[in-house]
Amino acid sequence: MYQLTKEERNGVYKAIFNRRDIRSFLNIPIPDDKLYNLLEAAHRAPSVGFMQPWNFIIIKNDEIKKELAKIVEKERRALAIHYEDTDRELKFLDLKIAGIIEAPVTICVTCNPFSGGDHVLGRNSIPETDLMSVSCAIQNMWLAAYAEGLAMGWVSFYKKSDVRKILEIPYHIDPIALISIGYTDNYPDRPLLEIHNWEKREQLNRLIFDNKWGTNEVRTGLSD
Amino acid sequence: MYQLTKEERNGVYKAIFNRRDIRSFLNIPIPDDKLYNLLEAAHRAPSVGFMQPWNFIIIKNDEIKKELAKIVEKERRALAIHYEDTDRELKFLDLKIAGIIEAPVTICVTCNPFSGGDHVLGRNSIPETDLMSVSCAIQNMWLAAYAEGLAMGWVSFYKKSDVRKILEIPYHIDPIALISIGYTDNYPDRPLLEIHNWEKREQLNRLIFDNKWGTNEVRTGLSD
């Protein structure tokens, strides 16, 4: 088969465990070769029936970034209304927006449900596997960003129709993520939402069942 | 910030580039600690609003594996009807099924759209971000499997209602993937669907746009 060295194996787990969703970036450009490494990593993701339903719109233009930030800000304000009566700390929501302006590169990742033709193997049974494939590509990109010493943030506060209009994306294409990429001097060791007491990490043991839903055996050896 | 060593960085890219969807497994059990490493990796995936919508049903019971294989086989036969008049090689479709019986462990990965409560941050805008989060978890699991010298296959040929019935999964929970895990002596260096001339890998350069959809600049430095 194959065998990673101990250090290579550590690299995989370090990337998986330390990857964070970053919202503040330094005003330093990203070398193209590093950016392409991220996109290559994304493109090597699994896809149902090998349909490769992803496209990547690389946005460096400041005017377009401002337009995107504007519609994200609109959505953030609309969203905040639903949290008015809660005691959850909302300040950090602001961070979510600044990233798009600060980061030297924004990538709009899209999903094309028609990229594999009429009968994509496996997608006939579960149509949303196209979206799942693109999500795997985004995760690859995130881990590659970590490997390159870059920070990445995934913004999902927007109306797709607004993003389609700004980036001239056809109706049949789904803009599923706005990704900020850049360097940062603010790389937290835990998820932002955990630091801000928004949510806690679940105990893994409680998320695992044995043979049937709802059946928990006693388990040792798990970190949580 | 942080810095991976060159070898650690190589490990990340090796896992991303060499990860394959495997369909044939050896009759060798998996140590629990390795299995848990995969689940820990999955649980460290990003999730919208930190909702952690995933559960993992670990199936080692042979009777249950047979029941799952049966419904997957039913779906494969139904699917094959759509390819009757094409010249695509269908033999390898058989492989897809054997994996579930052969692999010592099958994991049903599910998505719980209600795990974060009523107002999950970011999910209000794009509801399918729950599914995307679980997909990132599956990709983490896949890369961790590679790091552990294990093989993984993702089966998406089934009716969700059939899987719900066999595994006693409630209606509101989505069984989005059946994952086979095990050792293999058949680890291809290219995707099975490429080897079988089902689909080719797209040229990455053609999937990238600049600032707007459909705008391609001349680009160098990409592998394709």
Side-chain angles (χ1 to χ4, degrees):
Chain A
M1 202 164 153
Y2 58 84
Q3 184 87 43
L4 289 188
T5 65
K6 196 161 183 288
E7 200 174 336
E8 285 172 338
R9 179 182 172 285
N10 284 347
V12 175
Y13 282 111
K14 273 193 183 174
I16 287 173
F17 277 64
N18 300 333
R19 173 211 56 77
R20 291 276 96 75
D21 196 358
I22 303 297
R23 302 294 168 169
S24 84
F25 299 91
L26 299 170
N27 185 19
I28 299 173
I30 306 169
D32 271 348
D33 61 333
K34 289 200 174 206
L35 183 60
Y36 293 158
N37 285 346
L38 267 57
L39 296 172
E40 295 265 13
H43 189 41
R44 294 306 182 104
S47 64
V48 63
F50 207 22
M51 74 182 286
Q52 307 162 73
W54 39 71
N55 285 91
F56 309 96
I57 309 177
I58 303 176
I59 301 143
K60 297 183 181 174
N61 180 299
D62 283 333
E63 286 311 307
I64 297 175
K65 280 199 277 179
K66 272 182 207 159
E67 285 181 68
L68 290 173
K70 206 167 146 186
I71 58 152
V72 170
E73 164 63 12
K74 242 175 39 182
E75 185 73 0
R76 184 194 67 78
R77 282 170 49 211
L79 206 62
I81 290 172
H82 291 287
Y83 294 102
E84 274 172 358
D85 302 327
T86 70
D87 54 359
R88 285 177 148 182
E89 191 185 345
L90 279 165
K91 271 185 304 178
F92 81 94
L93 265 174
D94 296 334
L95 281 173
K96 296 261 176 189
I97 314 310
I100 290 185
I101 300 286
E102 285 178 12
V105 176
T106 297
I107 301 176
C108 177
V109 183
T110 63
C111 178
N112 179 357
F114 302 97
S115 72
D118 293 334
H119 289 292
V120 172
L121 201 64
R123 194 173 167 253
N124 282 14
S125 310
I126 305 182
E128 63 269 30
T129 42
D130 56 357
L131 194 68
M132 297 170 72
S133 306
V134 182
S135 309
C136 290
I138 294 174
Q139 181 64 4
N140 269 4
M141 198 192 289
W142 219 329
L143 299 174
Y146 185 86
E148 299 290 349
L150 287 165
M152 178 171 141
W154 177 340
V155 174
S156 53
F157 284 4
Y158 55 83
K159 296 273 177 258
K160 289 179 185 175
S161 49
D162 288 340
V163 170
R164 278 201 192 92
K165 203 170 174 186
I166 294 170
L167 302 180
E168 297 173 10
I169 296 170
Y171 289 124
H172 69 284
I173 304 289
D174 223 4
I176 61 167
L178 289 177
I179 305 284
S180 305
I181 311 267
Y183 292 96
T184 190
D185 54 4
N186 184 6
Y187 202 91
D189 61 353
R190 288 183 301 147
L192 277 183
L193 295 181
E194 193 180 324
I195 292 170
H196 289 270
N197 291 317
W198 189 272
E199 290 286 355
K200 287 191 174 62
R201 194 181 293 281
E202 294 284 339
Q203 285 186 13
L204 175 55
N205 197 35
R206 298 181 53 184
L207 302 174
I208 302 176
F209 299 127
D210 296 275
N211 289 307
K212 304 253 178 187
W213 181 272
T215 315
N216 260 103
E217 286 173 13
V218 176
R219 224 180 303 273
T220 54
L222 286 171
S223 73
D224 290 311
Chain B
M1 202 162 152
Y2 58 84
Q3 182 88 45
L4 289 187
T5 66
K6 196 161 183 287
E7 200 174 334
E8 286 173 336
R9 180 183 171 284
N10 284 347
V12 176
Y13 282 110
K14 273 193 185 174
I16 287 173
F17 277 65
N18 300 334
R19 173 211 57 76
R20 291 277 96 75
D21 196 358
I22 303 297
R23 302 294 166 168
S24 84
F25 299 90
L26 298 169
N27 185 17
I28 300 173
I30 306 169
D32 271 348
D33 60 333
K34 289 201 175 208
L35 184 60
Y36 293 157
N37 285 346
L38 267 57
L39 296 173
E40 294 265 15
H43 189 41
R44 295 303 182 108
S47 64
V48 64
F50 207 22
M51 75 182 284
Q52 308 164 72
W54 39 70
N55 285 92
F56 309 95
I57 308 176
I58 302 177
I59 301 143
K60 295 183 182 175
N61 180 298
D62 282 334
E63 286 312 307
I64 297 175
K65 280 199 276 177
K66 271 181 206 158
E67 286 181 67
L68 290 173
K70 205 166 145 185
I71 59 152
V72 170
E73 165 63 12
K74 242 175 40 182
E75 185 73 359
R76 185 196 66 78
R77 281 170 49 213
L79 206 62
I81 290 172
H82 291 287
Y83 294 103
E84 274 173 356
D85 302 327
T86 69
D87 54 359
R88 286 175 147 181
E89 193 186 342
L90 279 166
K91 270 184 304 178
F92 82 94
L93 265 175
D94 295 333
L95 282 173
K96 296 259 176 188
I97 314 311
I100 290 185
I101 300 284
E102 286 178 9
V105 176
T106 297
I107 301 176
C108 177
V109 183
T110 63
C111 178
N112 178 358
F114 303 96
S115 71
D118 292 334
H119 289 292
V120 173
L121 201 63
R123 193 175 167 253
N124 282 13
S125 311
I126 305 182
E128 64 269 32
T129 41
D130 57 356
L131 193 69
M132 296 169 75
S133 306
V134 183
S135 310
C136 289
I138 295 174
Q139 181 65 3
N140 269 5
M141 198 192 288
W142 219 329
L143 298 174
Y146 185 86
E148 298 291 349
L150 287 165
M152 175 172 144
W154 179 340
V155 174
S156 53
F157 285 6
Y158 56 83
K159 297 273 177 257
K160 289 178 185 175
S161 50
D162 289 339
V163 170
R164 278 201 194 91
K165 202 169 175 185
I166 295 170
L167 302 180
E168 298 172 9
I169 297 170
Y171 289 125
H172 69 285
I173 303 287
D174 222 5
I176 61 168
L178 289 176
I179 305 285
S180 305
I181 311 268
Y183 292 96
T184 190
D185 55 3
N186 184 6
Y187 202 91
D189 61 351
R190 288 182 301 145
L192 277 183
L193 294 181
E194 192 179 325
I195 292 170
H196 288 271
N197 291 316
W198 190 273
E199 289 289 352
K200 287 191 174 63
R201 194 181 292 282
E202 294 284 337
Q203 286 186 13
L204 174 54
N205 197 35
R206 297 180 55 185
L207 301 174
I208 303 175
F209 299 126
D210 297 273
N211 291 305
K212 304 251 176 186
W213 180 271
T215 315
N216 260 105
E217 285 175 12
V218 176
R219 221 179 307 269
T220 54
L222 286 171
S223 74
D224 291 311

